[in-house]
Amino acid sequence: MPDLYDEPAYYDLAFSFRDFAAEVDIIQEAIRQFSRIEVRRVLELGCGSCPHLAEFVARGYEYTGLDLNPAMVEYATRKAAALGPGARILRGDMSRFVFEPPVDFACILLGSLYVTNTRELVSHFDSVGRALRPGGLYFLDWCIDFDPHTDIWDTWEVDRDGVHLRVTYITNRLNRVEQTYRETVMVQVSEGERQRTIEQRCVKRAVYPQEFLAMMAARPDFEFVGWWNNWDFNQTLDGEEPTNRPIAIVRRLPA
Ligand SMILES: C[S@@+](CC[C@H](N)C(=O)[O-])C[C@H]1O[C@@H](n2cnc3c(N)ncnc32)[C@H](O)[C@@H]1O
């Protein structure tokens, strides 16, 4: 069965339910409220098909995306080229990358923190810390497991230009001690008479809220800024409500 990340156009369509302009508005609001430096250069980790890219470029940011999958990198590079010189896509592993010169803002969107164990998680923050200027923000969308991703089954449908997708998102707990779960995204594609299924399966290490706070408190290079539900700065997380696409922001400390 083909992998979804090897078919970026279908990935793009399957996750097109978001309002990318509104999300970049929120990112700009985060920068306005919490960044200690002016932001010109942004870095997106696990950028995939870069659905936010056009919005960043239209607002004058210099955008770099980093992704491990060659098909995603190629697809996003074509998108970036069409937008002019303000964007570039690099192939690399978010759990160990070196990026020079440092950027003013970094983000990771739609739960794309792909680490399988604690060593990779720590190394990920080491890499982001090296890549981000002091005072700059690291913005994480749905990367903290307030509602653990154990045994979720969610499904939705997308129709566009004669293509119908039925997308199913499934998670299954793998190991309680290692905090790992399997994530499966299954996309059933119908185009005219043609029907096929594309699937993406991977193992992820969950990141729970209190360990995230403890990790940030113990690190010399980051400070915790805050977290909110639903990409909404009026919805500070208090633990009472179920979460949906919670965002968390940390800031790079001076050396
Ligand atoms: C869910 S997609 C998210 C794409 C994009 N951020 C968005 O908002 O739609 C996750 C992406 O992370 C990439 N990825 C997975 N593991 C990675 C790693 N270790 N380093 C860099 N990218 C990785 C995948 O190739 C995929 O393109």
Side-chain angles (χ1 to χ4, degrees):
M1 193 180 296
D3 280 357
L4 178 59
Y5 291 165
D6 290 336
E7 308 237 11
Y10 291 121
Y11 170 84
D12 234 0
L13 191 53
F15 291 91
S16 60
F17 54 80
R18 293 166 284 171
D19 181 340
F20 302 113
E23 291 187 1
V24 179
D25 285 346
I26 302 293
I27 286 173
Q28 285 193 299
E29 179 59 22
I31 291 169
R32 198 188 60 72
Q33 284 195 40
F34 304 116
S35 182
R36 299 254 161 89
I37 56 173
E38 242 184 76
V39 174
R40 194 170 60 84
R41 303 180 67 232
V42 307
L43 172 65
E44 181 181 353
L45 302 166
C47 61
S49 59
C50 292
H52 299 80
L53 165 66
E55 285 296 329
F56 277 116
V57 171
R59 295 166 201 228
Y61 296 105
E62 204 178 290
Y63 173 101
T64 302
L66 182 115
D67 202 278
L68 193 56
N69 183 295
M72 284 289 194
V73 171
E74 195 191 316
Y75 180 85
T77 299
R78 269 186 271 123
K79 266 193 186 176
L83 293 170
R88 65 180 175 151
I89 315 298
L90 305 175
R91 181 156 185 246
D93 186 339
M94 68 172 74
S95 66
R96 49 191 168 87
F97 66 94
V98 177
F99 188 80
E100 287 282 348
V103 294
D104 310 315
F105 175 85
C107 59
I108 186 159
L109 304 174
L110 201 67
S112 299
L113 183 48
Y114 282 87
V115 292
T116 57
N117 56 46
T118 303
R119 184 178 44 76
E120 287 180 7
L121 179 66
V122 171
S123 167
H124 169 77
F125 277 93
D126 291 344
S127 302
V128 180
R130 283 191 302 266
L132 187 57
R133 282 177 57 216
L137 304 179
Y138 183 29
F139 181 107
L140 301 101
D141 163 26
W142 218 351
C143 294
I144 317 287
D145 294 82
F146 297 95
D147 288 292
H149 274 69
T150 46
D151 309 317
I152 291 173
W153 180 286
D154 191 10
T155 188
W156 64 96
E157 307 204 9
V158 186
D159 271 301
R160 194 177 300 162
D161 302 331
V163 181
H164 177 84
L165 303 186
R166 182 181 172 80
V167 188
T168 307
Y169 179 84
I170 306 161
T171 61
N172 302 107
R173 190 204 305 268
L174 287 178
N175 187 297
R176 288 170 174 79
V177 172
E178 293 169 3
Q179 298 179 194
T180 50
Y181 60 95
R182 182 177 304 288
E183 180 187 74
T184 306
V185 184
M186 192 173 72
V187 180
Q188 291 159 284
V189 184
S190 308
E191 282 180 286
E193 296 295 295
R194 193 167 176 236
Q195 307 219 339
R196 63 199 192 105
T197 300
I198 311 170
E199 196 176 87
Q200 188 69 40
R201 304 183 90 195
C202 62
V203 174
K204 291 173 92 172
R205 179 217 191 273
V207 180
Y208 296 131
Q210 290 302 314
E211 66 165 345
F212 182 74
L213 290 181
M215 188 173 77
M216 287 304 125
R219 292 196 65 102
D221 51 356
F222 282 104
E223 62 181 333
F224 177 72
V225 174
W227 46 34
W228 299 265
N229 206 1
N230 270 315
W231 281 67
D232 182 349
F233 290 119
N234 295 314
Q235 296 186 43
T236 303
L237 284 169
D238 60 8
E240 297 288 327
E241 302 293 327
T243 55
N244 182 46
R245 292 197 63 197
I247 53 172
I249 300 178
V250 295
R251 187 166 43 224
R252 178 76 166 82
L253 288 165

